[in-house]
């Protein structure tokens, strides 16, 4: 007697590009390449992307997908040609939770932003005449509409002519980015008006607040904090108020479950203080925002690579949490928040950077993070009594790692 084959779902293949952008990696899709039901927001799209990355994974490794078990690599991007006359490409970002069946669409990924321009060119989403003309300068200016936050970003993508006279994206080079092992071509990024003109960059209306952290296990029930919404909503605190130095590495934080729980409580309270949550319980379904970070004055330390970072090379030190873990370097969006806060006189970040000792407003700072240092620039000003960030800039790099098809079971959409 022949037994019938058990029911199973065959695999399907979807075109995808796997890229590093800044100190993150993600799986990039062209919207029109996605299965029809995934070309619109909803359960089918989320389930498909969760399966691609390998979430939810109770083991925390994402072995059965393209994620690598860290917030820096559990990311997806969907690109499409922009219908806006002054933009080239629409960029939609999804932060995939490792252990839970959740994708957070609330914010941007600043690191993967560095890869968007190059990927858009390679996917044929940027006008061919624009690409051809860019060969004269060696830079293709890609104007990006960031759909999650409704903001304009400009990526200055290096290009060259190959032996056949075709313009190609330059990916290799000698630009070194701390947190990335190999050098690559520099991609300059500008975040234009990263704060809504109708809102205040500091949601409480203050540059520094007395932040109620009662019940969070700190030495005091109230500490100073700067709440800022630029790049991504972020809570900045003094390292010393958390019992830190500001030179912590991942091993100092991520292996301590009690400490992680304490920081999550503070983050939840900060979300309420910023008006992002009505209650601290809402933080459980919004791990991407807000971010929590701590700052300290410039000091020497040894980075995770073994590289020495000297106090005289930097203006301050910053550490930031991402999806419940200390980030191995610095999130790009948090770097935007750092730039905006550091160049606004009177914030905790500006104070740590020595801004209070100068009559002139800082225009750029170099901060130390777990993997090394990063230079960021910013321009902030008051408009009708509200602080606004007009522009924030930084340099990153990006590289294609794989182009092909990603396989998922056909029932992954259910």
């Amino acid at each position: 007697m022949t037994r019938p084959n058990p029911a199973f779902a065959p695999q399907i293949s979807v075109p995808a590009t796997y890229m590093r952008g800044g100190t993150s990696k993600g799986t990039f899709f062209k919207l029109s390449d996605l299965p029809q039901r995934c070309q619109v927001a909803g359960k089918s799209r989320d389930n498909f992307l969760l399966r691609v990355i390998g979430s939810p994974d109770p083991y925390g490794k994402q072995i059965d997908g393209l994620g690598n078990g860290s917030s820096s690599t559990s990311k997806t991007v969907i690109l499409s040609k922009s219908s806006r006359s002054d933009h080239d490409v629409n960029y939609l970002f999804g932060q995939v939770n490792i252990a839970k069946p959740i994708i957070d669409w609330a914010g941007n990924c600043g690191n993967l932003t560095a890869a968007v321009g190059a990927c858009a060119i390679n996917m044929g989403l940027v006008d061919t005449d624009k690409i051809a003309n860019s060969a004269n300068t060696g830079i293709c200016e890609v104007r990006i509409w960031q759909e999650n936050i409704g903001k304009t970003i400009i990526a200055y993508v290096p290009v060259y002519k190959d032996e056949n006279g075709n313009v190609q994206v330059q990916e290799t080079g000698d630009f070194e980015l701390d947190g990335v092992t190999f050098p690559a071509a520099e991609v300059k990024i500008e975040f234009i008006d990263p704060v809504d003109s109708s809102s205040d960059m500091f949601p409480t209306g203050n540059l520094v607040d007395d932040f109620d952290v009662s019940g969070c296990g700190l030495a005091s029930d109230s500490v100073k904090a700067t709440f800022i919404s630029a790049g991504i909503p972020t809570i900045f605190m003094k390292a010393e108020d958390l019992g830190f130095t500001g030179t912590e590495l991942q091993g100092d934080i991520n292996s301590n479950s009690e400490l992680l729980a304490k920081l999550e409580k503070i983050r939840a309270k900060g979300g309420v203080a910023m008006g992002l949550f009505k209650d601290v319980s809402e933080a459980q379904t919004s791990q991407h925002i807000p971010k929590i970070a701590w700052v300290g004055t410039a000091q020497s330390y040894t980075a995770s690579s073994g590289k020495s970072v000297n106090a005289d090379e930097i203006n301050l030190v910053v550490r930031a949490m991402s999806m419940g873990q200390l980030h191995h370097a610095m999130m790009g969006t948090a770097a935007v928040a750092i730039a905006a806060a550091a160049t606004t006189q009177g914030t905790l970040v500006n104070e740590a950077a020595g801004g209070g000792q100068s009559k002139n407003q800082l225009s750029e700072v170099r901060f130390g993070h777990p993997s090394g240092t990063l230079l960021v620039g910013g321009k902030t000003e008051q408009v009708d009594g509200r602080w606004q960030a007009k522009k924030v800039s930084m340099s990153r790099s990006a590289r294609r790692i794989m182009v092909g098809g990603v396989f998922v079971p056909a029932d992954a959409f259910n």
Side-chain angles (χ1 to χ4, degrees):
M1 178 177 178
T2 303
R3 293 183 178 181
N5 290 328
F8 69 95
Q11 291 220 92
I12 62 169
S13 174
V14 178
T17 300
Y18 195 56
M19 288 194 75
R20 176 185 65 77
T23 56
S24 293
K25 287 191 294 187
T27 308
F28 287 64
F29 297 94
K30 183 158 67 171
L31 179 63
S32 58
D33 285 339
L34 292 175
Q36 192 69 37
R37 71 186 93 172
C38 298
Q39 293 183 20
V40 294
K43 184 178 179 181
S44 292
R45 174 188 286 182
D46 282 12
N47 287 345
F48 165 69
L49 295 175
L50 285 164
R51 196 68 166 92
V52 166
I53 299 301
S55 290
D57 185 354
Y59 304 105
K61 303 298 184 183
Q62 296 174 315
I63 292 297
D64 204 22
L66 289 175
N68 291 326
S70 77
S71 66
S72 300
T73 57
S74 189
K75 299 172 181 283
T76 60
V77 170
I78 300 173
L79 302 182
S80 59
K81 195 170 184 65
S82 183
S83 59
R84 294 172 177 266
S85 59
D86 56 344
H87 291 77
D88 299 298
V89 60
N90 295 328
Y91 158 39
L92 183 66
F93 167 70
Q95 178 71 53
V96 181
N97 192 293
I98 296 170
K100 300 176 183 178
I102 297 171
I103 299 180
D104 197 325
W105 299 99
N108 177 32
C109 175
N111 274 304
L112 287 188
T113 297
V116 169
C119 192
I121 292 172
N122 289 324
M123 284 183 171
L125 297 172
V126 179
D127 185 77
T128 54
D129 288 341
K130 182 174 190 175
I131 297 170
N133 293 334
S134 67
N136 298 324
T137 61
I139 296 292
C140 185
E141 180 184 308
V142 180
R143 295 184 64 85
I144 301 162
W145 180 250
Q146 214 301 321
E147 292 188 291
N148 302 76
I149 59 176
K151 292 295 176 183
T152 298
I153 303 170
I154 303 175
Y156 297 91
V157 182
V159 296
Y160 70 98
K161 276 190 176 181
D162 65 16
E163 57 187 13
N164 297 315
N166 298 317
V167 180
Q168 305 286 355
V169 173
Q170 179 189 339
E171 295 175 287
T172 58
D174 58 5
F175 175 73
E176 295 186 357
L177 179 64
D178 286 337
V180 178
T181 304
F182 303 107
E186 180 180 12
V187 180
K188 293 183 178 179
I189 304 292
E190 289 183 352
F191 298 82
I192 309 300
D193 293 323
V195 179
D196 288 330
S197 58
S198 60
S199 62
D200 198 315
M201 185 164 67
F202 302 99
T204 64
N206 304 315
L207 299 181
V208 178
D209 281 276
D210 291 316
F211 179 26
D212 177 14
V213 289
S214 55
C216 293
L218 299 184
S220 173
D221 287 342
S222 178
V223 297
K224 299 294 183 183
T226 289
F227 300 109
I228 188 170
S229 289
I232 200 162
T234 305
I235 308 154
F236 287 109
M237 303 170 66
K238 292 181 179 180
E240 60 194 66
D241 288 340
L242 292 168
F244 298 150
T245 63
T247 61
E248 289 76 21
L249 302 182
Q250 283 190 304
D252 301 319
I253 304 294
N254 295 346
S255 58
N256 189 328
S257 58
E258 184 178 341
L259 182 55
L260 292 175
K262 181 190 298 185
L263 290 169
E264 179 58 18
K265 284 184 179 179
I266 296 170
R267 190 187 74 88
K269 283 206 164 197
V272 173
M274 296 181 77
L276 298 171
F277 310 141
K278 292 180 180 179
D279 184 80
V280 292
S281 61
E282 294 179 28
Q284 296 177 20
T285 56
S286 181
Q287 286 199 321
H288 190 49
I289 61 171
K291 301 299 186 188
I292 181 171
W294 53 97
V295 299
T297 56
Q299 51 198 293
S300 300
Y301 65 97
T302 301
S304 55
S305 64
K307 170 185 175 181
S308 294
V309 177
N310 297 318
D312 58 5
E313 298 174 355
I314 56 178
N315 300 98
L316 74 161
V317 291
V318 190
R319 299 296 187 264
M321 301 291 290
S322 176
M323 303 295 287
Q325 299 279 298
L326 179 66
H327 197 276
H328 73 283
M330 184 55 61
M331 304 84 77
T333 47
V336 173
I338 292 166
T343 54
T344 304
Q345 213 154 15
T347 68
L348 293 184
V349 185
N350 177 264
E351 179 185 312
Q357 302 168 16
S358 172
K359 293 182 180 179
N360 299 319
Q361 189 172 341
L362 296 174
S363 61
E364 64 179 24
V365 294
R366 182 176 293 278
F367 63 88
H369 56 72
S371 294
T373 71
L374 179 63
L375 179 69
V376 293
K379 177 177 172 54
T380 62
E381 59 185 45
Q382 276 190 305
V383 179
D384 298 328
R386 296 191 298 265
W387 280 99
Q388 298 287 309
K390 306 311 292 181
K391 183 172 73 173
V392 169
S393 60
M394 69 184 74
S395 287
R396 316 300 273 169
S397 64
R399 187 177 75 86
R400 283 174 297 179
I401 296 173
M402 186 209 72
V403 178
V406 60
F407 285 84
V408 295
D411 61 359
F413 311 96
N414 301 330

